[in-house]
Amino acid sequence: MTTPSRSAPRTDDEHPRSAVGARPGRALAAAAVPLLLLLSLLAAGLGMLATGAVSPATLVPASPLVTWGLPVVRALHHLGLLIAVGAGGTAVLLLPGPSRREVTVLDPLRRRTVRLAAAGALLWTLAAAAQIPLGGLEATGAGTDLNVWDVAMGGALGRLQMLVAVLAALATLAYALARSTVLACWGLAFAGLGTLSLGLVGHAGASLDHINAVNAMALHLVAVTVWAGGLLVIALLAPRMDDAVLGTVVRRFSPWALAAVVSLALSGLISAWIRLSGWGDLLSTGYGRVVLAKTIGLLVLAVLGALQRRRLGERLRFRHLALTEGVLMAAVIGASIALGRSAPPVPQSVPEIGELRVMALVGFLPPSEEFSPTTMFTVIQPDWIALALAAAMAGAYLIGAVRLARRGDDWPWHRTLAFVAGCLAFAWVLSGGAAAWGKFRFDAHMVQHMAMMMIVPPLWVLGAPVTMLSRATAPRTDGSRGVREWVLAALHSGYSRVISSPPMAGLIFAGSLVIFYFSPLFELAMYDHLGHVLMTVHFLASGYLFAWVLIGIDPSTRPINPVLKLLTLLVTLAFHAFFGVALYSATWLVAQDWYTDLGMYGPERLMLIQERGASIMWAISEVPTVGYAIVVVVLWMGSEDRRARQYDRKAERDGGAELAAYNAYLESLGGEARSDGVAQPGGEAQPGGVAQPGGEVRLDGADRPDGPTQ
C-alpha cells in the first residue's frame, strides 16, 4: 500500500478524523433532507388540524388535491428555498478562501456548495410553478370545468407566484453556470429577490395595514431563510470541513444569525399585532396556539445556535446540536405552512363600500387633519420596517465611527452628522406626514418623492458610507470576499464605470421621471405594494447615484472633471424644472383611475392638487441645485488644495528632488539637440538646426518638456 506524501494535500478519506467520523456524518447528512421534509409535513398536518384548516369549506368545496397536496408542495418549496439561499450565502460570504491571494474561481468545497444551491433552487422553481395551478384549483373549487391555470394567472396571487418561479429559475441558472463566485453572487441575488417577493403571497398581501403586514412578512421570510438556511447547509457540509474551516464558517455566520433573530422578533411582533386582537388569542384560538408554538421553536433554535458557537471544538457535540436544530427547524417550517393555510382571528379584508373602500385600497384611512406644511411634520403613519431599517443604518454607522475613534483614526464629525441626518430624513419620508397622505393626494406624494430623490441621498453621500465600511471593517486575508470586499468589487466593476459617468447618471435621474409619470407605472405603484416598493428603491438609488457622481466623497471608478459635473448638474436639474412645468400644464389627470377609485375628491379638485404637486416638483428642484453647485465648487477647491499639500509634503520628504530633476532637464535642453541638428561654437548649426545667440540651437520639439531629446 502506498503512503501519501507529506507535501500532498490529503483528501477527506485520508484525513485521520474523517476515517472514523466523516463517512457516518455524510450518511446522516444525506438522510437529513428527506427526514426534515417528513417532519415538516407532520408538523403542518398537526397545525392545520389545530386551526381547522382541514375542515371542508362551505362556499367553495376544496379538492382533496388542494387540501393535502398544497402543503406537500409548500414543504418542498420551503426546503428548496432554504437550500438555495443557505448554500448560496455560504459559498459567497462564509467559506474561507483557498489562499491568501484574492481569487474568484470556485475551489472544490465552494463548487460543491454552489451545486447544492443549484439543486435547491431547482426544487424551489418546480414547487413554485406547481403552486400556480393548485392555487387556481383552490379558487375554482372541486368539480368545475374551468381552466385552473387561466383562473390562477387572472389573479394577483397567481402572477406573484409566477414572478417567484421566474426568479427561482434565474437563481437556478446562475448557480448551475457558476464557475466563479461572481456568478454565484448573482444567483444569491436572484434568490434574495424571490424571497422578498414571497412576502406578498398569502395573508399579508390582502391584510389591513398591508404596508406593515407585507413589509413584516418579507422581513420575516428573509430572516428565517438566512438563519434556517444557513444552519441547514452548514450542518450538511460539516462532515466535509475540517475543524478550522468549520470554525471560520460558524464565526462568520454568527452576525447574520444575530441579525436574523432580531428581525424575526420585530417582524413577528408586527404580524401578531395585525392578525391577533390581543394576547389572549395566543391561547384561546388555534391560530394563536400555532403562532405561540412557532415562536417557542424559534427561541429554542436561537439558544441552540448560541450553544453551537461555544462547542466548535467538539464535533460530536456539534453534530448532536445540528440534529436537534434540524428537528426544530422542520417543526417551525410546518407551523408556517399551517399558518399560511389558516385564517387569522382578526379578518384581514373589508368590503369595498364607502369609507371602507379607501381602507381596502390603501390599508389605512387618511389623517383627520388638513394637509399642510405644518401637519407634514406632526402627523405620523409609521412604517415599522422602514423605521427599523433607518435605525439599523444609523446604528451601524455610529458603531463604525466609535470603532475608528477607539483605534485612534480621525473621522470628520460632519460626515457622521450628515449620514445620521439622512437616516432621519429617510424615516420621515416613509413614516411622516408626506407618507400619511402620499397615496391620497398627488401633492403629498410629490413632496415624498422629491425628498426621496433630492434630500435623503445627498445626506447619505456626504456621510461617505463606503469609506466608513472599508475603514471600520477588517479586510479578509484568506482570499474570500465578505461584505466589504463585495461592495468594493461592485464599486470598481465595469457596470459601475458605465453608470457613474455624469451624463449617464443625469439621464437616469431625469429620464426616470418622464417614464414613471407619463406611463402607467405610477398608477401601478399606487395599486400594487410591490410596485410602490420598487418605486421607492429606484428613486432612492437614482438619487444616490446622481449625488455620488456630483458630490461623492467615496472613491469613484475614475476622476471626473468638475466642469463636467457642473454642466451635468445644470442640464439635469433644468430639465427637472421643465418637467415640473410640463406636468403643471398637463390637461389630464395622472393616475386618474386610482384617485377616482378612492372617491375622495372631484375632478376639478384633483386637477388643482396635481398642479400644486407639479409646482412643488419645480420649486424643490431649485434649492438643491444651489446646494449641489456649492458643494461641487467647495470639493473642487478642496481637491486642488489637497493636491498642493501632497506635492509640498513630497517635496519635503525628498528634498525637492522632482523639481530639481525638472530644472536639470530644462538646463540640458540648452546644449542638446535632435540627431538632425548639432549646436556649433559661435552660434553655428548643422543643417536642420536654427542658430541661437550664445551657441544654442532651437529644434522642432526639442525645447518642449514632452519632446524627444538625445
Side-chain angles (χ1 to χ4, degrees), residues 207-229:
S207 296
L208 297 180
D209 194 9
H210 58 256
I211 291 178
N212 281 313
V214 170
N215 291 346
M217 181 57 67
L219 178 63
H220 189 81
L221 288 171
V222 170
V224 168
T225 304
V226 169
W227 186 20

Side-chain angles (χ1 to χ4, degrees), residues 91 489 525 558 617:
R558 56 173 176 263
M617 173 183 283

Side-chain angles (χ1 to χ4, degrees), residues 692-710:
Q692 302 294 324
E696 297 181 355
V697 177
R698 177 173 58 82
L699 297 173
D700 295 339
D703 59 343
R704 295 196 303 268
D706 58 346
T709 60
Q710 279 190 327

Side-chain angles (χ1 to χ4, degrees), residues 368-671:
S368 57
E369 298 89 343
E370 289 292 330
F371 176 69
S372 67
T374 302
T375 54
M376 277 195 300
F377 296 95
T378 58
V379 173
I380 297 176
Q381 179 61 44
D383 182 338
W384 296 110
I385 303 303
L387 291 173
L389 182 59
M393 290 190 297
Y397 191 96
L398 291 174
I399 290 173
V402 170
R403 182 177 298 177
L404 291 179
R406 288 178 177 176
R407 203 166 63 194
D409 292 347
D410 182 32
W411 185 257
W413 64 268
H414 55 82
R415 293 186 184 178
T416 303
L417 180 62
F419 190 86
V420 173
C423 293
L424 292 174
F426 173 74
W428 173 81
V429 164
L430 295 180
S431 299
W437 276 287
K439 284 201 169 186
F440 303 106
R441 299 175 59 106
F442 184 78
D443 50 1
H445 164 80
M446 196 53 65
V447 172
Q448 188 182 22
H449 186 166
M450 290 297 101
M452 275 194 294
M453 291 187 73
M454 309 188 74
I455 295 178
V456 177
L459 292 173
W460 280 345
V461 166
L462 291 175
V466 176
T467 303
M468 167 62 77
L469 176 66
S470 63
R471 292 181 59 182
T473 305
R476 291 193 178 181
T477 59
D478 60 0
S480 64
R481 287 180 174 180
V483 174
R484 177 184 184 274
E485 287 73 21
W486 280 111
V487 169
L488 293 178
L491 190 66
H492 295 90
S493 65
Y495 174 76
S496 179
R497 284 193 293 271
V498 171
I499 67 171
S500 62
S501 64
M504 180 61 70
L507 179 62
I508 295 173
F509 183 84
S512 299
L513 296 174
V514 178
I515 297 174
F516 184 69
Y517 286 104
F518 286 171
S519 75
L521 289 177
F522 173 60
E523 189 167 77
L524 180 63
M526 294 293 103
Y527 277 108
D528 189 86
H529 181 70
L530 177 61
H532 197 271
V533 171
L534 292 176
M535 174 199 74
T536 302
V537 172
H538 171 77
F539 284 112
L540 281 172
S542 62
Y544 188 93
L545 174 64
F546 186 70
W548 174 51
V549 169
L550 293 182
I551 61 174
I553 301 172
D554 287 327
S556 59
T557 56
R558 56 173 176 263
I560 301 174
N561 191 324
V563 176
L564 180 59
K565 290 183 178 182
L566 288 174
L567 288 176
T568 302
L569 171 66
L570 295 177
V571 172
T572 302
L573 293 184
F575 175 83
H576 196 275
F578 282 121
F579 177 75
V581 174
L583 189 60
Y584 183 89
S585 305
T587 57
W588 70 92
L589 285 174
V590 177
Q592 180 175 355
D593 291 343
W594 167 257
Y595 292 114
T596 302
D597 284 348
L598 289 177
M600 295 178 58
Y601 306 106
E604 294 182 0
R605 181 72 182 280
L606 288 174
M607 184 58 71
L608 290 175
I609 292 175
Q610 179 171 302
E611 292 175 355
R612 183 178 178 182
S615 300
I616 290 172
M617 173 183 283
W618 175 81
I620 290 181
S621 65
E622 299 302 315
V623 176
T625 301
V626 178
Y628 272 120
I630 292 174
V631 175
V632 168
V633 172
V634 170
L635 292 178
W636 186 3
M637 296 173 61
S639 66
E640 294 296 330
D641 292 340
R642 284 194 301 272
R643 190 175 294 110
R645 288 195 299 269
Q646 290 172 357
Y647 182 83
D648 292 340
R649 287 194 296 268
K650 184 177 184 300
E652 291 176 0
R653 289 194 301 269
D654 58 18
E658 182 178 355
L659 180 60
Y662 183 68
N663 289 334
Y665 169 74
L666 293 179
E667 291 177 0
S668 69
L669 295 179

Side-chain angles (χ1 to χ4, degrees), residues 152-237:
M153 294 305 297
L157 179 61
R159 292 192 293 270
L160 285 171
Q161 289 173 335
M162 177 57 73
L163 172 63
V164 172
V166 170
L167 291 171
L170 290 174
T172 304
L173 183 63
Y175 283 142
L177 297 178
R179 298 295 181 269
S180 68
T181 53
V182 176
L183 193 52
C185 186
W186 277 107
L188 180 61
F190 286 126
L193 291 175
T195 307
L196 285 170
S197 301
L198 282 173
L200 298 174
V201 179
H203 293 305
S207 296
L208 297 180
D209 194 9
H210 58 256
I211 291 178
N212 281 313
V214 170
N215 291 346
M217 181 57 67
L219 178 63
H220 189 81
L221 288 171
V222 170
V224 168
T225 304
V226 169
W227 186 20
L231 288 175
L232 175 60
V233 170
I234 291 173
L236 292 176
L237 295 177

Side-chain angles (χ1 to χ4, degrees), residues 81-441:
L81 170 61
L82 292 180
I83 295 175
V85 174
T90 301
V92 172
L93 295 170
L94 303 183
L95 285 175
S99 66
R100 290 187 175 275
R101 182 175 58 87
E102 184 181 51
V103 292
T104 58
V105 295
L106 299 178
D107 57 274
L109 180 58
R110 189 172 272 104
R111 186 184 306 114
R112 183 181 297 274
T113 308
V114 172
R115 298 299 172 263
L116 178 62
L122 179 60
L123 176 62
W124 178 23
T125 303
L126 297 176
Q131 285 188 115
I132 299 175
L134 287 175
L137 182 59
E138 183 178 29
T140 59
T144 62
D145 296 330
L146 297 175
N147 188 317
V148 294
W149 185 270
D150 291 340
V151 171
M153 294 305 297
L157 179 61
R159 292 192 293 270
L160 285 171
Q161 289 173 335
M162 177 57 73
L163 172 63
V164 172
V166 170
L167 291 171
L170 290 174
T172 304
L173 183 63
Y175 283 142
L177 297 178
R179 298 295 181 269
S180 68
T181 53
V182 176
L183 193 52
C185 186
W186 277 107
L188 180 61
F190 286 126
L193 291 175
T195 307
L196 285 170
S197 301
L198 282 173
L200 298 174
V201 179
H203 293 305
S207 296
L208 297 180
D209 194 9
H210 58 256
I211 291 178
N212 281 313
V214 170
N215 291 346
M217 181 57 67
L219 178 63
H220 189 81
L221 288 171
V222 170
V224 168
T225 304
V226 169
W227 186 20
L231 288 175
L232 175 60
V233 170
I234 291 173
L236 292 176
L237 295 177
R240 299 184 178 276
M241 302 180 189
D242 59 30
D243 292 339
V245 173
L246 180 60
T248 300
V249 170
V250 174
R251 278 191 296 272
R252 289 177 177 177
F253 178 66
S254 294
W256 295 95
L258 177 61
V261 169
V262 174
S263 300
L264 282 172
L266 175 63
S267 59
L269 182 63
I270 295 173
S271 297
W273 174 59
I274 293 173
R275 293 175 175 82
L276 301 176
S277 60
W279 295 111
D281 285 345
L282 289 173
L283 297 175
S284 62
T285 64
Y287 189 94
R289 287 190 288 269
V290 175
V291 169
L292 184 60
K294 179 182 175 182
T295 303
I296 294 174
L298 289 173
L299 291 176
V300 174
L301 275 173
V303 174
L304 291 177
L307 290 176
Q308 268 194 4
R309 291 190 293 275
R310 295 185 178 183
R311 299 285 186 176
L312 286 178
E314 305 176 22
R315 297 192 63 89
L316 185 62
R317 181 66 173 167
F318 177 86
R319 189 181 302 159
H320 290 166
L321 284 174
L323 180 61
T324 306
E325 284 184 344
V327 173
L328 283 172
M329 189 188 305
V332 169
I333 293 173
S336 300
I337 295 172
L339 292 176
R341 299 289 300 153
S342 307
V346 176
Q348 296 298 294
S349 60
V350 295
E352 298 185 9
I353 302 174
E355 187 179 70
L356 295 179
R357 180 174 181 80
V358 175
M359 176 72 78
L361 288 172
V362 181
F364 56 89
L365 295 175
S368 57
E369 298 89 343
E370 289 292 330
F371 176 69
S372 67
T374 302
T375 54
M376 277 195 300
F377 296 95
T378 58
V379 173
I380 297 176
Q381 179 61 44
D383 182 338
W384 296 110
I385 303 303
L387 291 173
L389 182 59
M393 290 190 297
Y397 191 96
L398 291 174
I399 290 173
V402 170
R403 182 177 298 177
L404 291 179
R406 288 178 177 176
R407 203 166 63 194
D409 292 347
D410 182 32
W411 185 257
W413 64 268
H414 55 82
R415 293 186 184 178
T416 303
L417 180 62
F419 190 86
V420 173
C423 293
L424 292 174
F426 173 74
W428 173 81
V429 164
L430 295 180
S431 299
W437 276 287
K439 284 201 169 186
F440 303 106
R441 299 175 59 106

